[in-house]
Amino acid sequence: MSLTTFTGLSAAVLLLLCVLFLLLSRWKNAILAIRFNEALRAENNGDAERAIQLYQEALQRGQGLAIGDKRLLRTIERRLKTLQTSTEFVRRFQRTEMAC
């Protein structure tokens, strides 16, 4: 096997690995975006508990991303914190109101 054949074969294998890595990361980002949209839809429909669950699932799936949409992950984290805070506020308000 000559040196040029070995170099060409090595370059082809490296290129194939890069393409596979890129496709895998895009696939994970697509799943993350789908989960985010489902959670957002549940939140807009007033189903806060389901939205919280979907946001948490999206965050768990997103933790394995080596590269990808980190901005979407930060958005999911912020929405989850906001939704949890507002849900807790409503629960406490209802308990206080019932006690009166």
Side-chain angles (χ1 to χ4, degrees):
M1 188 188 243
S2 69
L3 183 61
T4 56
T5 306
F6 180 73
T7 305
L9 188 59
S10 297
V13 168
L14 184 62
L15 180 63
L16 179 64
L17 288 175
C18 289
V19 168
L20 288 175
F21 183 73
L22 182 63
L23 289 175
L24 180 63
S25 68
R26 287 189 185 261
W27 176 69
K28 283 189 171 190
N29 283 338
I31 290 175
L32 184 64
I34 289 169
R35 287 283 184 214
F36 175 70
N37 287 331
E38 289 174 356
L40 196 57
R41 192 173 305 118
E43 184 179 351
N44 288 335
N45 289 335
D47 192 1
E49 295 300 322
R50 174 85 173 130
I52 289 172
Q53 177 187 4
L54 290 170
Y55 282 135
Q56 288 172 340
E57 287 176 14
L59 284 177
Q60 288 174 353
R61 286 186 179 266
Q63 296 305 324
L65 293 176
I67 63 169
D69 198 349
K70 299 295 183 182
R71 186 174 15 169
L72 181 57
L73 282 174
R74 287 191 304 270
T75 301
I76 292 171
E77 288 172 349
R78 284 193 308 265
R79 292 202 67 92
L80 179 61
K81 285 180 184 178
T82 302
L83 188 57
Q84 287 173 331
T85 302
S86 64
T87 304
E88 181 62 27
F89 176 78
V90 169
R91 283 186 193 140
R92 287 184 183 194
F93 180 75
Q94 288 173 345
R95 273 190 253 145
T96 305
E97 191 175 84
M98 294 177 96
C100 292

